[in-house]
């Protein structure tokens, strides 16, 4: 049994010729079809196990749910695309570390289920490798030089004697299944261990190497070999090794009275122990410090590009690098190393996971990415943090509601629900501590969040939906004229951004604000989520093109002008170059809620221009000015309403505290108004009475009526009343 990297070393001699100046096969990893064959090499019969079981490359092997899902995917791939003679042979390698992790019960049940002979519709046969040599695909490799047959040029898989070892499943200690019970909390009765919120913050704080910068090397070496293996101690050891790495490098030798090893060896050992303990933040940090890279990352990136998406690699509020063409593994690693690693080492590993999971979801559930043209990995991480925080707040609200219902004497207002919420954002801490399988589930929930809260459509139909419903309600049916009755038109209940005066008098101000706090936070959450994901309506780019056609002096986007010419002459509304240019101009926006407001303003302006062909803009169209005018009108109506400013500030402060991340900068539009007014405006739903769409439409009409009105095609008779 050989590791897959040894097969790469064999490929170096394929087609190699010094006289012709030809090198061998490029040092790229061998895929699934290549590792499912037997090879005759220098008199040896060799079988390689898949890249999935190569623990030195990445840490996904420590997550049993990921291992099971990948094995099922490989089985399905082999059953669909195997065209060689014989049958494919899949080498399932079980290592001792896989037995010790908390999720081994899932793997054990999966191995037992394979005895039935079918896995997700794929028929399989279990047995030893020697049994399948006669029925498998055997390939002879006779191009190797003779000197490779002697010595230790190729390294096979060997069993290392380390004292006590598990040679069979019967030798496992009884405490394997309960070794992690106690301090770690098990969620949803699964084998995935999820630390509590306080423990996550404590672990992430221990990973900060800044507290060790003033320590000497001798003091750091004492922390490296600290005997405890709990999550907090592992995090401290990772921070110490990170500091030693920055000072001396990976090959620096650490010497004590009992140990002598390099920083690289210490990180490898720490990553292995942290993987067994399921301390995923430590595992990801060690993988980044060791420069571990997923071998199958380049094909996953190609899948994303083939599906019509483009990827930007970088961190939020930092530089981003656009990837719009396939890259080889070395180029992709260089991009990640330059754009992500200097800013956040843990994200260097996390964004590799995201590329794998995004490509997987694009092949299975492509509808989740509707309206998302550019997948910005740094902002995708921010969206997942936001989703985690929102789910945590909802759980706390439900918990507090249950407690209040059980205790009739306790009175809980809308503000008391958030009195115990820590203002510090816990999204990053929780996200970095999740196992890869839960990161994939969180990504799915984040992308699907728009399906639950509803997508706002800014089209002609959305502005006339109430009128069409009223007409259909009173229109008689010609098919059954006898059953038609005269219907009385009833006044429809109008949803407003603020409670009516009667409701305030009847139920009290605190109770009313408490019931509406959820609506405020949902609208703000949806805007921030759409801004992080970069989700836009399907006709957004065509709408911006329409505005540009009616703006002779161009459109100003983030202080950069998009000129009418030569944009209209060189590009069409559906041109990918036009979409790329618009996204480039939108990229500097740092507040996701403001990005969503910008998209909403563009859609409102385009709808009004589409209905009034005689209107056009006289000056440069600055979308920011439209939003500022809408906020001014919103602020004037707010101060003129019955609600006091102090109470509204309290209400919006609590909703913003829940879902607004403190790392996002304030947009330029908030400088003309106070931040509370801007936050309240972004937290107001769009398609309601006195919502953001109404104020944006009002601001648009005010500026359009100051521009040019073309009445050349209007005759005098058209203005006469007959």
């Amino acid at each position: 049994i050989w590791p897959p990297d040894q097969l790469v070393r064999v490929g170096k001699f394929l087609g190699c010729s010094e006289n012709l100046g030809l090198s061998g096969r490029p040092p790229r990893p061998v895929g699934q079809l290549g590792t499912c064959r037997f090879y005759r090499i220098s008199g040896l019969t060799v079988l390689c196990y898949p890249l999935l079981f190569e623990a030195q490359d990445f840490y996904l092997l420590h997550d049993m749910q990921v291992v099971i899902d990948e094995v099922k995917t490989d089985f399905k791939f082999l059953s669909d695309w195997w065209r060689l003679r014989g049958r494919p042979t899949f080498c399932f390698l079980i290592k001792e570390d896989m037995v010790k992790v908390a999720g081994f019960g899932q793997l054990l049940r999966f191995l037992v289920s394979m005895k039935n002979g079918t896995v997700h519709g794929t028929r399989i046969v279990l047995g030893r490798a020697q049994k399948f040599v006669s029925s498998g695909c055997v390939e002879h490799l006779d191009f190797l030089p003779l000197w490779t047959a002697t010595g230790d040029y190729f390294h096979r898989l060997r069993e290392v004697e380390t004292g006590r070892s598990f040679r069979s499943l019967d030798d496992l200690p009884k405490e394997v299944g309960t070794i992690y019970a106690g301090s770690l909390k098990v969620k949803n009765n699964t084998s995935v261990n999820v630390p509590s919120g306080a423990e996550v913050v404590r672990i992430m704080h221990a990973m900060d190497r800044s507290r060790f910068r003033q320590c000497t090397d001798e003091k750091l070496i004492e922390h490296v070999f600290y005997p405890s293996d709990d999550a907090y101690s592992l995090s401290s050891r990772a921070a110490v090794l990170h500091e030693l790495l920055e000072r001396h490098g990976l090959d620096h030798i650490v010497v004590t009275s009992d140990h002598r090893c390099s920083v690289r060896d210490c990180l490898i050992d720490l990553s292995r122990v942290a993987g067994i303990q399921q301390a995923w933040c430590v595992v990801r940090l060690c993988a980044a410090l060791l420069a571990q890279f997923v071998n199958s990352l380049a094909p996953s990136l190609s899948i994303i590009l083939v599906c019509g998406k483009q990827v930007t690699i970088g961190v939020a509020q930092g530089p981003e690098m656009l990837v719009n063409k396939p890259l080889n593994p070395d180029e992709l690693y260089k991009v990640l190393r330059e754009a992500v690693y200097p800013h956040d080492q843990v994200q260097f590993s996390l964004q590799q996971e995201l590329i794998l999971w995004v490509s997987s979801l694009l092949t299975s559930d492509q509808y989740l990415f509707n309206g998302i043209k550019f997948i910005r990995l740094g902002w995708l991480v921010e969206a997942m943090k936001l989703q985690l925080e929102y789910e945590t707040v909802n759980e706390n609200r439900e918990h507090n509601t249950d407690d209040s219902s059980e205790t009739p004497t306790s009175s809980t207002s809308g503000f008391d629900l958030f009195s115990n919420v820590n203002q510090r954002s816990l999204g990053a801490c929780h996200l970095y501590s999740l196992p890869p399988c839960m990161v994939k589930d969180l990504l799915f929930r984040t992308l699907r969040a728009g399906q639950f809260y509803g997508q706002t459509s800014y089209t002609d139909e959305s502005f006339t939906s109430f009128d069409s419903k009223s007409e259909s309600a009173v229109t008689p049916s010609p098919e059954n004229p006898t059953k038609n009755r005269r219907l009385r038109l009833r006044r429809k209940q109008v949803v407003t951004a603020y409670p009516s005066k009667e409701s305030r008098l009847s139920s009290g101000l605190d109770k009313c604000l408490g019931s509406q706090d959820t609506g405020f936070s949902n609208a703000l959450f949806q805007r921030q989520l759409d801004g992080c994901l970069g989700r836009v309506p399907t006709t957004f780019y065509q709408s911006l093109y329409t505005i540009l056609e009616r703006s002779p002096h161009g459109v100003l986007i983030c202080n950069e002008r998009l000129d009418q010419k030569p944009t209209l002459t060189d590009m069409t509304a559906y041109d990918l170059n036009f979409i790329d240019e618009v996204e480039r101009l939108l990229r500097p926006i740092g507040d996701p809620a403001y990005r969503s407001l910008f998209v909403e303003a563009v859609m409102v302006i385009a709808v009004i221009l589409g209905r009034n062909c005689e209107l056009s803009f006289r000056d440069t169209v600055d979308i920011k000015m439209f939003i500022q005018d809408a906020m001014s009108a919103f602020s004037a109506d707010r101060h003129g309403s019955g609600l006091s400013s102090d109470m509204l500030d309290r209400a919006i402060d609590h909703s913003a505290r829940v879902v607004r991340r403190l790392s996002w900068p304030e947009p330029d539009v908030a400088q003309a108004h106070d931040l509370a007014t801007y936050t309240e405006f972004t937290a107001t739903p769009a398609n309601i009475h006195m919502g953001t769409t109404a104020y944006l439409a009002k601001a648009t009409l005010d500026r359009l009526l100051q521009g040019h009105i073309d009445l050349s095609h209007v005759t005098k008779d058209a203005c006469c009343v007959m």
Side-chain angles (χ1 to χ4, degrees), residues 1-13 41-42 44 46 48 141 143-158:
I1 304 296
W2 277 13
D5 60 341
Q6 299 302 309
L7 202 58
V8 176
R9 302 183 67 185
V10 172
K12 292 181 180 180
F13 302 98
I41 303 175
S42 301
L44 300 175
V46 176
C48 294
L141 304 181
F143 52 82
L144 296 177
L146 295 177
W147 60 269
T148 58
T150 60
D152 295 331
Y153 181 76
F154 297 114
H155 304 284
R156 64 182 180 87
L157 186 66
R158 298 178 180 177

Side-chain angles (χ1 to χ4, degrees), residues 102 175 177-186 193-196 199 230 277:
E175 62 270 13
T178 59
I179 189 173
Y180 308 109
S183 60
L184 295 181
K185 178 183 177 182
V186 180
N193 297 317
V194 181
S196 61
E199 187 175 359
D230 60 283
Q277 297 285 353

Side-chain angles (χ1 to χ4, degrees), residues 391-452:
E391 292 174 353
T392 303
V393 170
N394 286 340
E395 290 178 1
N396 293 337
R397 181 187 292 124
E398 293 176 359
H399 177 70
N400 292 334
T401 304
D402 295 339
D403 293 343
S404 62
S405 61
E406 293 176 0
T407 308
T409 58
S410 62
S411 60
T412 304
S413 64
F415 302 126
D416 296 334
L417 294 177
F418 306 101
S419 58
N420 296 326
V421 176
N422 190 358
Q423 294 188 12
R424 178 179 177 179
S425 173
L426 299 179
C429 300
H430 283 291
L431 179 60
Y432 293 164
S433 301
L434 291 179
C437 62
M438 295 186 67
V439 171
K440 184 178 181 179
D441 294 339
L442 176 62
L443 176 62
F444 180 81
R445 297 198 308 270
T446 303
L447 293 171
R448 202 179 56 173
Q451 306 293 333
F452 288 107

Side-chain angles (χ1 to χ4, degrees), residues 405-565:
S405 61
E406 293 176 0
T407 308
T409 58
S410 62
S411 60
T412 304
S413 64
F415 302 126
D416 296 334
L417 294 177
F418 306 101
S419 58
N420 296 326
V421 176
N422 190 358
Q423 294 188 12
R424 178 179 177 179
S425 173
L426 299 179
C429 300
H430 283 291
L431 179 60
Y432 293 164
S433 301
L434 291 179
C437 62
M438 295 186 67
V439 171
K440 184 178 181 179
D441 294 339
L442 176 62
L443 176 62
F444 180 81
R445 297 198 308 270
T446 303
L447 293 171
R448 202 179 56 173
Q451 306 293 333
F452 288 107
Y453 298 103
Q455 292 294 327
T456 303
S457 59
Y458 308 98
T459 59
D460 290 340
E461 290 78 5
S462 64
F463 285 90
T464 58
S465 58
F466 289 103
D467 298 337
S468 61
K469 291 180 181 179
S470 300
E471 293 176 0
S472 62
V474 298
T475 302
S477 174
E479 299 177 357
N480 299 320
T482 58
K483 296 183 179 180
N484 293 333
R485 295 182 300 174
R486 180 175 296 178
L487 301 178
R488 177 181 297 177
L489 292 179
R490 299 181 180 272
R491 184 181 298 273
K492 299 188 67 173
Q493 183 178 2
V494 180
V495 181
T496 60
Y498 308 111
S500 62
K501 182 177 180 180
E502 291 78 4
S503 63
R504 295 198 303 270
L505 294 176
S506 60
S507 60
L509 183 60
D510 290 340
K511 182 178 179 181
C512 185
L513 286 176
S515 63
Q516 288 209 356
D517 186 71
T518 304
F520 275 108
S521 60
N522 284 348
L524 181 59
F525 164 74
Q526 188 60 40
R527 278 199 173 93
Q528 292 179 345
L529 185 64
D530 289 341
C532 290
L533 296 176
R535 181 184 288 138
V536 297
T538 55
T539 59
F540 168 71
Y541 303 105
Q542 292 82 3
S543 300
L544 187 58
Y545 194 88
T546 301
I547 298 175
L548 192 60
E549 289 177 336
R550 311 278 278 277
S551 306
H553 298 282
V555 179
L556 200 63
I557 303 176
C558 296
N559 299 325
E560 289 193 36
R561 189 170 63 182
L562 181 63
D563 294 324
Q564 189 182 56
K565 295 180 181 180

Side-chain angles (χ1 to χ4, degrees), residues 50 52-53 65-78 90 92 107 110 114 119:
L52 174 64
F53 301 101
Q65 186 61 46
V66 172
V67 172
I68 294 173
D69 294 340
E70 290 297 321
V71 169
K72 292 179 180 179
T73 303
D74 291 343
F75 286 168
K76 182 64 176 177
F77 175 79
L78 290 174
F90 188 91
F92 198 105
L107 181 62
F110 176 69
M114 285 197 299
V119 175

